Amino acid sequence: MTDRAPQPVDRQLPTEESRDLLALVREIAQREIRPKAAEEEDSGRFPREVFTLLSEAGLLGLPYPGEFGGGEQPYEVYLQVLEELAAARLTVGLGVSVHSLACHGLAGYGTKEQQGAHLPAMLGGGLLGAYCLSEPASGSDAASLTTKAVRDGDDWIITGTKAWITHGGVADFYTVLARTGAQGPKGITAFLVPGDAEGLTAAVPEKKMGMKGSPTAQLHFDGVRVPDARRIGEEGQGFTIALAALDAGRLGIAACAIGVAQAALDEALAYALDRKQFGHPIADFQGLRFMLADMATKIEAGRALYLAAARLRDAGKPFSRQAAMAKLFCTDAAMSVTTDAVQVLGGYGYTADFPVERLMREAKVLQIVEGTNQIQRMVIARHLAGPETR
Ligand SMILES: Cc1cc2nc3c(=O)[nH]c(=O)nc-3n(C[C@H](O)[C@H](O)[C@H](O)COP(=O)(O)OP(=O)(O)OC[C@H]3O[C@@H](n4cnc5c(N)ncnc54)[C@H](O)[C@@H]3O)c2cc1C
């Protein structure tokens, strides 16, 4: 890693409070998160204590109402916080985004009693959440999920397997989508399941290409009993709840992608200014200058796109199409920028002595999670041309 600390990004922030917030996040990121990122990603250590610290600093509930312990920040501010965290370490930025996704259902569709009972601990009480939609045989076609919840008096009994769950096995609560009715999207209901529920076990985490510090695991529900008071929304409303969370979550992924890309550009630029060949810093050569210019342009364009979508959301306007566009563009930009960063560093870029190879491996997952980029294109095309008629 280069010793030079990256220059702060020139951000547009709406208030003095949000500028102070970003300064605090940047300080935590540079002091507590970035220095351990390479070593812990290599060893696969999950930094649970960082999430506790973020919760204590009020950073795990930023876009949620103050009434229940949230930070009441606009989405445009929350996303820039995520970007800073992801630039320091994707496991943390994406982890906060997933936690926020897991809180979305209860915050948006829970009753006041449920919100009062659970949200304060979820948003600022040190708890960590996970979001359970995917299954071994149901990924992009999420509405085909088969994990079942069957009514038993005042309880539900959940049985089935969820797959690819970020924080699987380490989370304190799980927002779980399960089938309570007929096939298809209308037969799905959402539940808030405690992490220590009897009958709930996590498999050994997946061995992944990157983000090795973030546990991704299958979860087995073997007759897990959940009171009806933990059902979120109406019976059959689960898929609507899941998709609403994903619209907001996709913006989180977009912001994380720009954080990863920015970190890669910062490394590439510092290296190019330092490394000499043919008697000159390699940053003098037009071939690399143009590459750096293109990288920076993609990052600025991506940031502008996710912020435009966030501002629509903050204004209470529809933003689903723009969220899909931001997720698609920003994650493709991150893949391209991190790949170019490896190129700028030459052979050194291909080694673990510099972070750019890790950033390139991390960028890849962002094109897959919360709807692959093929699925984002389908969403965008449906907004443009309506549903497919074939
Ligand atoms: C590290 C990691 C963390 C994750 N975290 C979570 C989590 O916390 N919670 C959760 O619920 N899920 C999580 N996921 C799952 C993730 O959302 C899915 O992997 C993703 O939705 C794709 O599903 P799939 O892997 O089953 O691929 P598939 O759906 O099998 O897709 C395989 C390929 O086919 C393409 N494809 C599928 N259908 C179409 C179509 N109609 N048109 C064109 N192309 C298509 C896809 O784009 C992809 O390229 C995570 C995944 C990973 C890798």
Side-chain angles (χ1 to χ4, degrees), residues 107-330:
Y109 297 83
T111 62
K112 281 280 172 215
E113 293 73 46
Q114 289 175 319
Q115 291 171 343
H118 302 294
L119 272 183
M122 290 161 65
L123 298 180
L127 300 190
L128 185 65
Y131 175 84
C132 308
L133 177 63
S134 305
E135 298 184 355
S138 132
S140 300
D141 183 10
S144 68
L145 63 84
T146 59
T147 292
K148 262 203 173 86
V150 177
R151 190 88 194 219
D152 181 29
D154 285 342
D155 296 336
W156 293 86
I157 310 290
I158 305 180
T159 306
T161 299
K162 291 290 173 183
W164 305 109
I165 304 308
T166 301
H167 302 158
V170 300
D172 302 297
F173 64 90
Y174 297 94
T175 293
V176 178
L177 285 308
R179 186 158 304 283
T180 52
Q183 295 300 306
K186 296 209 168 104
I188 295 171
T189 302
F191 297 91
L192 184 69
V193 179
D196 60 0
E198 211 180 317
L200 173 58
T201 51
V204 174
E206 307 292 345
K207 287 191 177 162
K208 305 196 296 295
M209 177 195 282
M211 249 193 13
K212 297 180 184 185
S214 171
T216 311
Q218 284 198 353
L219 283 183
H220 303 298
F221 292 76
D222 184 10
V224 173
R225 184 174 287 273
V226 177
D228 189 52
R230 281 180 168 268
R231 170 174 46 83
I232 305 172
E234 302 299 325
E235 273 179 57
Q237 201 185 9
F239 204 63
T240 305
I241 294 172
L243 290 190
L246 283 179
D247 272 346
R250 281 168 185 165
L251 286 177
I253 301 299
C256 286
I258 293 304
V260 169
Q262 183 70 55
L265 174 62
D266 290 343
E267 290 292 338
L269 185 58
Y271 185 87
L273 291 168
D274 193 50
R275 171 77 171 169
K276 288 198 175 67
Q277 289 293 285
F278 303 100
H280 294 273
I282 58 172
D284 276 0
F285 304 131
Q286 194 181 61
L288 284 199
R289 295 176 83 81
F290 280 13
M291 197 184 277
L292 292 166
D294 286 345
M295 291 159 77
T297 304
K298 285 176 190 169
I299 291 169
E300 292 282 350
R303 187 176 289 124
L305 195 57
Y306 87 62
L307 284 175
R311 287 172 186 143
L312 283 177
R313 186 182 192 276
D314 289 334
K317 296 189 174 158
F319 67 99
S320 176
R321 171 169 60 93
Q322 290 82 354
M325 287 173 166
K327 197 273 180 182
L328 168 64
F329 184 87
C330 293

Side-chain angles (χ1 to χ4, degrees), residues 11-13 21-22 25 59 62-63 73-87 93 96-97 100 247-259 302-314 319 322-323 326-327 330:
R11 297 192 179 282
Q12 283 183 41
L13 289 159
L21 176 66
L22 261 290
V25 170
L59 299 175
L62 282 179
Q73 289 299 313
Y75 230 62
E76 67 165 312
V77 174
Y78 159 67
L79 292 181
Q80 297 193 68
V81 167
L82 281 187
E83 189 196 315
E84 288 286 351
L85 294 173
V96 173
S97 183
S100 204
D247 272 346
R250 281 168 185 165
L251 286 177
I253 301 299
C256 286
I258 293 304
R303 187 176 289 124
L305 195 57
Y306 87 62
L307 284 175
R311 287 172 186 143
L312 283 177
R313 186 182 192 276
D314 289 334
F319 67 99
Q322 290 82 354
K327 197 273 180 182
C330 293

